[in-house]
Every structure is written in C-alpha cells, then in structure tokens.
C-alpha cells in the first residue's frame, strides 16, 4: 500500500552543515559504572532520563572560540599520534572532533576497559590549533563535538577513517574503496507530520562509551545515550569493517513523560537514513555537464509479503512524502545502484564511490511502514532525502520500543532482488510528431532491467510489461523488449495526466508466463 502527499519544508543542510544540527541536552557525569558496563546499564540511564522532564543546557562556547569561522575551526586538528589505542597498537583507533561554529554542544566520551570505565577529558595538548589565537588552557574540560574511528580498511600500512559519530544522532561509515555519502541517524522524530509550527525534532547522542577492542579484534563496539525533548534511548553499535562494512545496531527507545511540548509524536522514525539527490537520469538537468549528481538514486524495499520495490529518487519542487505499508519487512535502504564513473563525470565528488545503506531487521518488526521524505534542494550541498521505518503502534511511556538491525554500507557488491532489478530509469521522449500541447500532458519513461530471472529466459521468451496508474494517470503505451545492444530487457511506459497540478503514481514489473520476473518499479510523476 502506498500513499503520497505534499507538505512545506526546508532542505536539510549537508556536508559541513549536516554536522550543524544540534540541540541542548543534559550532560551526564558519573553515569558509568566502574565495572561491568554494558547495554543494560545504558538502558537504565535512558529509562531514568525518560521519567524526568527534558533539561536542555547552555551550548555557549568560550569567548575566544565562538567567533572562529569555518576555515578557522577546520584549522583545529586532532594530533594523530595521540589517537586513543595507538600506543597499544590495536586494530582500531579513535580521534576526537573539536567544538566550534556549527558544533556548539559538547558530548561526553568515555572508554570502557577490563579495568573499568573512565571519562576522557578534553586536553588542549591533543589538538593542533593552527594559526588560531586562542587560549585553550582557560577552557577547562570543554568536551568534544564527536569522534571518528580508524582501521586499516584499505591497506595494512595505514589506518583509514572508518566511521564518524558527530552532530545530533548522525553517524556514517565506509566499506573498502568507498567515499562518504549518505548518513544514518539513531532516531528521527516528526520528519513528516509534525504539528503546525512544531517542526522536526532532532534527538542527539549526549554521551558515548568506546569499548577498548582486544588485540587483533575485527569488531569495535560503541555505546551511546540518546536524548531529546520527547524521547530518550540506549544504543549499542558493533562495527565490523570490510568490503561491506556492517554496523549492527541494538536500540531501546523510551518516550518521555512530562516533556512539556504539548504535542504527541506524530512520526517516530526507526533506522533513519539521510541522503542527497540533486538530479539524475529520471530528472535530468540541462545546465550541468554532469549526467547525474546524487549520493543515492533510489529507495529499495523488501516487504514482508515477498515483494521487492524500487522507487527512483527525485528532487521535487515541494516536499513529497510517500509510504509503503508492510509487516515484518525483510529490509530497506537508500541505494546508489549506478556505480559507473561515466554516469557522473565528476573527478572530485566521485559519486560512483558513494555507499548504499541497507537495513536488515534482526527480528520481526511487526506492522508499520517505510516512509520516504523527498525535499527540494537547490544544489548538491544539502541533504534532501530521508527514509525510515515507522512502527504501527507507539509504546506507552516507560515501556521500551526495541529494535535491532544490521546496517550494511555497500559498494559495487550490494543487496539486489533475487529476480531482476531496474538498472536505469530515463525520462523523456524520442523523436515524435506530436504537438507541444500533447507532449506537455504526456510523460514517458524508458526503464532497463537486468538480473538472473531475465538472463535465464530463452531467446524467444515473451516478456510483458505490467503497468498500472492511479486515477490521475492513463497508461497510453507500455511494452517490454530485449535490448539488442546490451542483452538486457527494456520497458517503455507512456502516461497521460488528467490533472497536471497533481502527482501520478505508477507501478510496473516484468512478467513471463504469468510470473513476475522483476522487482516492482514504482514512480511518482511530479505535478507541474
């Protein structure tokens, strides 16, 4: 089941700005037990926090740090030789981000060792301040803006950046040969559906516990405490680097009582993913030499009912929210399927190296929906895509909402449907003698499919394109044929809109002998 609607909103900030989303939070001191620190202890802290009103704290920076601009803050760098666990020569190391500019609210960071748990204090000697004229010796225990983990991901001679936790509840990771693209979050609240004037609420991780890995460890563990005006939560992240780096997430979320906001949560987003889509083959841009610019090109869903869905992403003029109802989903993710450099022609951004992120539930999630939020962005420096799981039932205050999932950061070898999948979705007409008015009312897509189910068909197989539209569209033409240039199968769909100011929703798949032999391609024709 799918539904779409439009709501006004603003694009999410991106790259340097994705780090800028901060909310005040209670700084916790003395919360870690000296011995036996684990996920249950973080859960206890989160449960206690949820029973009390949210208490934001000041995020005021020291007077000589606050005026620094973007370049000046970038000039403050962690000294690599002082990385956590470097002296022990472990497979993982941690380095920390300095506060400044967009990052004004500190997080507490602790280390968990066999001997106990210790708070990692801010130490001015850990940073190189570059040309900045500041006096860090007067700042005290300033705290940190976040941290990054390092591991010899691509070469045994060097520890590459593996994962970053910084800004609200944002985190992201890399597999071998990848470059940073989309991000994940711990929790999303009211990304869509917020009460008028309320806006989205950004929970933030307020405290972390980094577990010292054993010698030759292949996984590193991080615990995190999440807090916001209407929720608190406990998180465990087990990060395993590789060609496909995996982050196994265990979370327990508690809705806060007595938050004082006056508004119940409209949309609670589990396992949220945030990405960027500026333009692509289904929405080309005439004034840019690059064929495509995006960190992700589609949302893929494996429903609990056994259907695989693919929705190409778009950059709408107005915010577009669509949802896909299911029960016990097999998985969902924002994917970067197009892995060819020629598809982007960008020697700096290298969008073909951006990872896909696939969420695989580790238990039955019950009934709910995968929701996709697409906002307008004027350029590629803003995130404008969000996807997450919305449970059908909200927990009672004090009762945990518990989810466990594996989040895979995938490159060329990524999750695919078992049958066949869309490799590209091109919008536009070829040569035609139709009038300009007729062309204005009609939209054509040319979609290519590939996969084992199609490759196994005999040369003379008959394949049918099954296409349906909602009430605002009329399917004028749909056909499927083998592409003689590639050996793949191509589907052509031409649709006429009834009302050009309303969207049209399309669904299509390839069929052979009354059996589906591809995923379901589902697309929205945006209103004029």
């Amino acid at each position: 089941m799918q539904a779409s609607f439009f709501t006004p909103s603003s694009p999410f900030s991106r790259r340097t700005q994705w780090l800028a989303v901060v909310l005040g939070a209670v700084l916790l001191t003395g919360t870690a037990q000296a011995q036996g620190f684990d996920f249950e202890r973080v859960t206890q802290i989160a449960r206690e926090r949820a029973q009390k009103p949210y208490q934001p704290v000041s995020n005021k920076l020291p007077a000589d740090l606050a005026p620094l601009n973007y370049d000046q803050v970038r000039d403050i760098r962690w000294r690599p030789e002082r990385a956590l666990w470097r002296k022990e020569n472990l497979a993982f190391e941690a380095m920390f981000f300095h506060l400044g500019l967009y990052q004004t609210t500190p997080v507490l960071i602790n280390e968990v060792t066999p001997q106990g748990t210790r708070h990692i204090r801010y130490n001015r000697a850990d940073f190189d301040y570059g040309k900045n004229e500041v006096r860090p010796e007067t700042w005290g225990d300033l705290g940190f803006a976040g941290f990054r983990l390092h591991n010899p991901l691509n070469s045994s001679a060097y520890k590459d950046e593996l994962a970053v936790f910084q800004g609200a509840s944002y985190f992201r990771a890399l597999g071998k040969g990848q470059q940073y693209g989309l991000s994940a979050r711990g929790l999303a609240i009211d990304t869509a559906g917020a009460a008028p004037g309320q806006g989205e609420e950004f929970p933030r991780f307020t405290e972390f516990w980094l577990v010292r890995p054993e010698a030759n460890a292949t996984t590193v563990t991080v615990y995190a405490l999440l807090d916001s005006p209407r929720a608190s939560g406990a998180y465990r992240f087990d990060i395993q680097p590789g060609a496909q780096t995996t982050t196994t997430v265990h979370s327990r979320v508690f809705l806060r009582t007595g938050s004082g906001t006056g508004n119940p949560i409209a949309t609670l987003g589990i396992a949220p993913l945030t990405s960027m889509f500026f333009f692509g083959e289904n929405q080309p841009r005439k004034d840019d030499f690059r064929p495509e610019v995006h960190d992700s090109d589609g949302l893929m869903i494996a429903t609990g009912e056994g259907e695989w869905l693919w929705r190409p992403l778009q950059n709408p003029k107005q915010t577009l929210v669509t949802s896909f109802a299911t029960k016990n989903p097999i998985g969902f993710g924002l994917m970067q399927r197009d892995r060819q450099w020629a598809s982007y022609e960008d020697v700096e951004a290298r969008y073909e190296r951006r990872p896909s992120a696939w969420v695989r539930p580790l238990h039955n999630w019950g009934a709910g929906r995968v929701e996709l939020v697409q906002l307008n962005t004027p350029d590629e420096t803003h995130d404008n895509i969000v996807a997450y799981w919305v449970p059908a039932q909200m927990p009672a205050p004090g009762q945990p909402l518990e989810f466990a999932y594996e989040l895979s950061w995938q490159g060329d070898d990524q999750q695919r449907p078992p049958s066949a999948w869309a490799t590209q979705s091109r919008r536009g007409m070829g040569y035609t003698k139709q009038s300009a008015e007729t062309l204005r009312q009609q939209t054509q897509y040319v979609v290519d499919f590939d996969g084992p189910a199609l490759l196994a068909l005999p040369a003379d197989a008959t394949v049918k394109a099954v296409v349906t539209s909602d009430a605002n569209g009329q399917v004028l033409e749909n056909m499927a044929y083998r592409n003689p240039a590639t050996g793949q199968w191509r589907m052509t769909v031409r649709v006429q809109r009834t009302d050009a100011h309303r969207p049209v929703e399309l669904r299509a798949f390839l069929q052979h002998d009354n059996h589906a032999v591809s995923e379901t391609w589902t697309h929205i024709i945006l209103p004029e």
Side-chain angles (χ1 to χ4, degrees):
M1 180 179 181
Q2 305 170 33
S4 60
F5 56 92
F6 287 81
T7 56
S9 184
S10 301
F12 298 111
S13 60
R14 170 161 183 79
R15 309 215 191 287
T16 60
Q17 297 169 345
W18 75 278
L19 307 176
V21 182
V22 289
L23 289 174
V26 179
L27 293 180
L28 306 177
T29 57
T31 54
Q33 292 180 337
Q35 300 291 337
F37 188 86
D38 58 13
F39 186 50
E40 297 303 323
R41 177 58 180 141
V42 188
T43 299
Q44 179 184 345
I45 300 171
R47 181 184 291 110
E48 292 172 354
R49 293 294 168 191
Q51 295 171 355
K52 302 174 183 178
Y54 177 69
Q55 297 292 331
V57 297
S58 172
N59 55 4
K60 185 177 180 180
L61 294 175
D64 51 343
L65 179 60
L68 299 187
N69 61 30
Y70 174 76
D71 290 328
Q72 289 172 320
V73 171
R74 278 177 56 88
D75 206 22
I76 304 177
R77 297 180 176 88
W78 179 269
R79 299 181 186 272
E81 67 273 12
R82 301 179 72 92
L84 182 66
W85 306 324
R86 174 162 291 199
K87 291 182 179 179
E88 293 83 355
N89 195 29
L90 299 180
F92 297 90
E93 295 178 357
M95 304 185 195
F96 305 96
F97 292 109
H98 202 283
L99 289 170
L101 192 60
Y102 302 122
Q103 294 299 319
T104 59
T105 304
V107 297
L108 297 182
I109 301 179
N110 311 279
E111 181 190 16
V112 180
T113 73
Q115 292 73 39
T117 302
R118 72 176 183 94
H119 169 61
I120 300 176
R121 293 180 56 85
Y122 170 85
N123 183 350
R124 66 180 186 274
D126 292 332
F127 291 93
D128 179 351
Y129 296 88
K131 298 179 181 179
N132 292 301
E133 296 181 1
V134 291
R135 298 180 59 196
E137 66 275 8
T138 66
W139 296 345
D141 188 7
L142 188 65
F144 302 101
F147 66 94
R148 62 181 186 260
L149 297 170
H150 292 249
N151 174 266
L153 181 66
N154 296 295
S155 169
S156 59
Y158 179 78
K159 287 186 173 66
D160 303 283
E161 194 167 308
L162 171 68
V164 168
F165 288 78
Q166 185 181 30
S169 67
Y170 284 89
F171 64 97
R172 51 184 179 172
L174 293 172
K176 188 175 181 178
Q178 299 172 11
Q179 292 185 194
Y180 280 130
L182 80 170
S183 303
R185 283 192 270 171
L187 190 69
I189 296 180
D190 286 356
T191 304
Q198 177 80 16
E200 183 174 8
E201 179 173 310
F202 287 89
R204 64 184 298 269
F205 291 133
T206 61
E207 189 165 6
F208 293 97
W209 293 264
L210 313 184
V211 180
R212 178 184 294 182
E214 297 181 355
N216 301 318
T218 59
T219 301
V220 62
T221 297
V222 175
Y223 296 107
L225 179 67
L226 178 139
D227 203 14
S228 80
R230 290 181 288 176
S232 66
Y235 288 76
R236 171 174 173 155
F237 302 93
D238 296 297
I239 305 170
Q240 184 175 17
Q244 175 179 285
T245 291
T246 60
T247 305
T248 302
V249 183
H250 291 81
S251 65
R252 289 176 183 151
V253 175
F254 299 87
L255 300 188
R256 175 170 259 113
T257 58
S259 64
T261 63
N263 293 308
I265 294 175
T267 305
L268 190 67
I270 305 298
L273 304 172
T274 300
S275 192
M276 179 274 294
F277 182 92
F278 186 29
F279 61 90
E281 62 209 12
N282 60 315
Q283 196 177 19
R285 188 177 178 90
K286 296 180 180 179
D287 58 354
D288 200 307
F289 76 93
R290 298 168 297 180
E292 304 178 48
V293 172
H294 50 73
D295 284 342
S296 306
D297 53 11
L299 169 68
M300 183 169 67
I301 304 172
T303 72
E305 295 74 29
E307 185 178 22
W308 288 77
L309 302 171
W310 175 253
R311 168 147 290 180
L313 298 178
Q314 298 186 82
N315 182 9
K317 294 181 180 179
Q318 292 179 290
T319 298
L320 174 66
V321 182
T322 54
S323 60
F324 304 82
T326 185
K327 185 176 182 180
N328 297 325
I330 297 171
F332 71 92
L334 291 176
M335 315 300 286
Q336 185 77 321
R337 278 187 177 176
D338 202 332
R339 313 298 301 177
Q340 302 299 317
W341 181 82
S343 297
Y344 307 98
E345 295 284 347
D346 195 318
V347 297
E348 295 180 358
R350 302 303 299 271
Y351 289 108
E352 79 279 3
R353 294 182 178 177
R354 305 299 171 98
S356 299
W358 179 249
V359 175
R360 183 176 68 88
L362 298 179
H363 59 93
N364 288 340
W365 281 12
R369 67 183 189 273
V370 176
E371 192 158 86
L372 174 64
V373 182
Q374 301 180 91
L375 299 93
N376 175 259
T377 181
D379 53 48
E380 63 205 270
T381 66
H382 294 76
D383 276 341
N384 64 320
I385 305 295
V386 188
Y388 44 79
W389 171 257
V390 182
Q393 292 187 338
M394 299 279 278
Q399 297 298 315
L401 187 65
E402 189 161 356
F403 286 89
Y405 55 94
E406 181 184 84
L407 175 56
S408 300
W409 308 87
Q410 303 176 342
D412 293 345
D413 184 13
Q414 60 182 251
Q415 181 66 55
R416 306 280 192 185
S419 56
W421 52 88
T423 60
Q424 62 175 350
S425 303
R426 295 190 174 276
R427 175 176 174 167
M429 296 283 190
Y431 172 75
T432 178
K433 294 183 179 180
Q434 298 181 82
S435 66
E437 177 62 22
T438 298
L439 292 177
R440 189 186 70 82
Q441 297 175 352
Q442 295 181 8
T443 304
Q444 178 174 281
Y445 290 97
V446 177
V447 184
D448 287 345
F449 290 88
D450 194 15
L454 293 175
L455 293 174
L457 294 176
D460 59 349
T462 300
V463 174
K464 177 182 178 182
V466 180
V467 184
T468 57
S469 170
D470 65 13
N472 193 41
Q474 178 185 0
V475 179
L476 302 179
E477 177 183 280
N478 61 290
M479 57 182 177
Y481 52 94
R482 195 185 296 272
N483 185 337
T486 65
Q488 298 178 358
W489 283 85
R490 173 163 287 190
M491 176 183 71
T492 301
V493 178
R494 187 160 54 91
V495 181
Q496 180 164 313
R497 292 177 288 184
T498 302
D499 184 351
H501 300 289
R502 292 171 47 217
V504 178
E505 183 155 1
L506 300 173
R507 286 173 56 91
F509 61 90
L510 298 185
Q511 184 183 80
H512 173 66
D513 285 346
N514 293 322
H515 297 288
V517 289
S518 76
E519 67 185 359
T520 298
W521 177 87
T522 169
H523 199 46
I524 296 286
I525 301 177
L526 299 175
E528 292 185 359

